[in-house]
Amino acid sequence: MTAAHRVLVTYFPASQASLDAAYAGSLAKIPDGRAKRQGVAFGERAAGHLIALREDDGRFAPVEFTAAPAPGVWRPTPPAHQPFIDPWLAVLRPLLLTSPAQFRPGGPPALSSARYARDVNEVKTMGAKTGSARTAQQTATALFFGGNLAAQFQAAFRDHTARHHLDIADTARLFAAANASATDAVVTAWDAKLHYGFWRPITAIQLADTDGNPATDADPQWQPLLVTPPHPDYLSGHTTVAGAVTRTLTGILGTTHLDLNVPSEITGTTRHYDEADQLNEDMINARVWAGIHFRTSDVVGCRTGSRIGAWALTHYFRPLRSAGFHAVPPSRPNCPRETAS
């Protein structure tokens, strides 16, 4: 508690008043005495060590996307035409990995390829704001994962640890493992976004007459279901994070049975996911059906995230005690095969 308070106040000084009040309220519930004093002192030391470790880690570094607009190259998208948001994430020192580019995948499909044409035509049909071939359930899935993924996962983790009565140590390890993997998944995705700078579906479809691929046709009026975020397509941040989180959780829990209740502030609903691959399949489809990512970006993102999760398990985290001392991370793939909707 003390460590968390110190870290939060350091990085979010504008929120110090509310953080101080919450910390004081929590601290007041613990009886005064030697154990309390030692706990506070240890928390302060732990926080100080962590803050020192993260000095000069690339946070808010002056990174810019400088590639000139050309076929296949990202450029700001409607309606706001915002510049590339938070490009410094591409150079942030990871928490677990050795570098942001450690798991950088190969590039997106060539504009002349059949695979690229399939990607464009699928999202053009399934991700359109109007006149789409989506079913009502597919639209609901796109909207469900259209908000803050970090908030969705934190709520799901809290619910899971409470329902399964994990003690404070196992709860802390689960949160640490999942969130460290998620953080490095964001860094990895942004590294690929900055490195490849691949254009978004809205640009690709509206300018399809410039891609040199006879299997794509331009629609200058095409719009996606959801507003396109201001950064390149490849890799998909949502699917990379989901791939990392689900792979880490299956290892920590020693089973593919996640038993996660994931809420959505966009739809006001909650979905239950028994298996990791079920969640990843919905996430991949959701970004296509929302009209903001190509399927290749989503599938490769999931697989890359899964590699990050496997690295975290191999180098940093063993299964929870409740999963059994000899439990091993499941070998079953968490990411579905690349299939069109």
Side-chain angles (χ1 to χ4, degrees):
M1 179 171 58
T2 297
H5 171 261
R6 168 79 182 283
V7 169
L8 289 171
V9 167
T10 298
Y11 291 112
F12 303 97
S15 301
Q16 180 161 359
S18 59
L19 290 169
D20 286 350
Y23 175 58
S26 297
L27 205 59
K29 298 176 183 178
I30 302 173
D32 291 333
R34 182 168 177 265
K36 182 176 181 178
R37 291 193 299 273
Q38 288 182 328
V40 168
F42 185 83
E44 288 287 351
R45 290 198 302 273
H49 180 64
L50 179 61
I51 292 166
L53 283 175
R54 298 307 297 180
E55 287 184 1
D56 301 319
D57 64 358
R59 192 167 184 251
F60 302 135
V63 178
E64 295 183 5
F65 181 76
T66 58
V73 177
W74 181 85
R75 75 286 312 272
T77 53
H81 297 281
Q82 291 178 268
F84 192 150
I85 192 171
D86 296 334
W88 56 267
L89 285 167
V91 300
L92 185 68
R93 185 181 351 120
L95 298 179
L96 309 176
L97 304 183
T98 59
S99 78
Q102 181 177 344
F103 289 116
R104 181 193 294 167
L111 299 187
S112 60
S113 67
R115 184 180 185 185
Y116 172 75
R118 288 196 302 271
D119 276 352
V120 171
N121 291 325
E122 179 190 18
V123 72
K124 183 179 182 181
T125 299
M126 299 300 296
K129 184 175 184 179
T130 59
S132 170
R134 288 186 311 272
T135 65
Q137 180 62 23
Q138 289 169 336
T139 298
T141 297
L143 296 175
F144 184 88
F145 287 112
N148 187 326
L149 182 59
Q152 288 181 279
F153 275 148
Q154 302 317 303
F157 300 159
R158 289 193 297 271
D159 172 80
H160 179 92
T161 56
R163 284 188 294 107
H164 290 268
H165 307 290
L166 298 187
D167 63 25
I168 189 170
D170 282 350
T171 296
R173 285 191 76 253
L174 186 148
F175 271 85
N179 286 318
S181 294
T183 299
D184 282 4
V186 172
V187 173
T188 299
W190 253 250
D191 165 79
K193 287 176 185 290
L194 185 66
H195 181 76
Y196 294 113
F198 198 60
W199 62 4
R200 285 280 188 164
I202 186 171
T203 310
I205 293 168
Q206 291 185 356
L207 301 180
D209 56 347
T210 70
D211 64 17
N213 193 318
T216 65
D217 294 311
D219 181 354
Q221 305 306 315
W222 188 88
Q223 295 291 326
L225 174 66
L226 298 181
V227 174
T228 301
H231 41 77
D233 168 72
Y234 189 90
L235 295 170
S236 164
H238 267 57
T239 65
T240 307
V241 169
V245 167
T246 54
R247 185 68 186 89
T248 303
L249 288 181
T250 58
I252 287 290
L253 299 174
T255 174
T256 61
H257 183 65
L258 294 182
D259 188 23
L260 286 183
N261 291 323
V262 181
S264 171
E265 76 277 16
I266 300 296
T267 62
T269 59
T270 296
R271 293 189 175 192
H272 180 78
Y273 287 98
D274 280 320
E275 302 293 329
D277 56 358
Q278 294 172 343
L279 193 157
N280 284 321
E281 184 171 8
D282 271 6
M283 187 71 74
I284 289 169
N285 286 329
R287 307 312 272 175
V288 175
W289 296 336
I292 59 177
H293 274 300
F294 296 118
R295 182 167 294 274
T296 296
S297 173
D298 294 325
V299 172
V300 176
C302 182
R303 292 173 180 168
T304 301
S306 185
R307 294 179 68 193
I308 294 167
W311 171 273
L313 293 168
T314 301
H315 293 82
Y316 294 96
F317 297 99
R318 291 183 179 273
L320 296 177
R321 288 170 294 179
S322 56
F325 183 78
H326 297 292
V328 295
S331 58
R332 174 183 173 185
N334 286 341
C335 300
R337 292 182 178 275
E338 187 174 358
T339 56
S341 50

